[in-house]
Amino acid sequence: MPANTMSRQDQALREVADKLEASFLAEMLKSAGLGKTSEHFGGGVGEDQFSSFMLQEQAMQMVKAGGIGLSESLFHALKEKQNDK
């Protein structure tokens, strides 16, 4: 559903679902070794400290490009839960 036709509450739920999917994807990327400092051209402690931000942004871009569908499932589950109240 396009964002301009969604209610504010639905937009908030969509944003939460997108952030949850991005967090999940960031952890998967981290587990896959993406963002680890290489031994030859490592950026030291600074690179290690900020690599999580890079992973999170890469994950959010993946979500914006369609992700893996987790966000959509989360959105519908949150919307159902909200409608039950």
Side-chain angles (χ1 to χ4, degrees), residues 39-76:
E39 294 178 19
H40 302 289
F41 296 106
V45 176
E47 185 176 339
D48 289 339
Q49 291 176 340
F50 288 100
S51 66
S52 65
F53 295 116
M54 182 185 74
L55 287 176
Q56 189 66 33
E57 185 57 34
Q58 287 174 327
M60 186 54 80
Q61 291 304 314
M62 291 171 71
V63 170
K64 287 179 181 178
I68 58 173
L70 182 60
S71 177
E72 191 67 24
S73 295
L74 289 169
F75 172 73
H76 289 296

Side-chain angles (χ1 to χ4, degrees), residues 9 14-15 17 44 49 63:
Q9 203 161 24
R14 173 66 69 187
E15 188 175 319
Q49 291 176 340
V63 170

Side-chain angles (χ1 to χ4, degrees), residues 6-22 69-85:
M6 297 174 87
S7 70
R8 282 185 189 230
Q9 203 161 24
D10 283 355
Q11 287 176 358
L13 290 176
R14 173 66 69 187
E15 188 175 319
V16 168
D18 287 350
K19 286 181 180 180
L20 282 168
E21 182 176 359
L70 182 60
S71 177
E72 191 67 24
S73 295
L74 289 169
F75 172 73
H76 289 296
L78 289 169
K79 192 161 171 69
E80 253 182 58
K81 192 73 167 168
Q82 178 187 29
N83 291 337
D84 288 346
K85 290 182 179 182

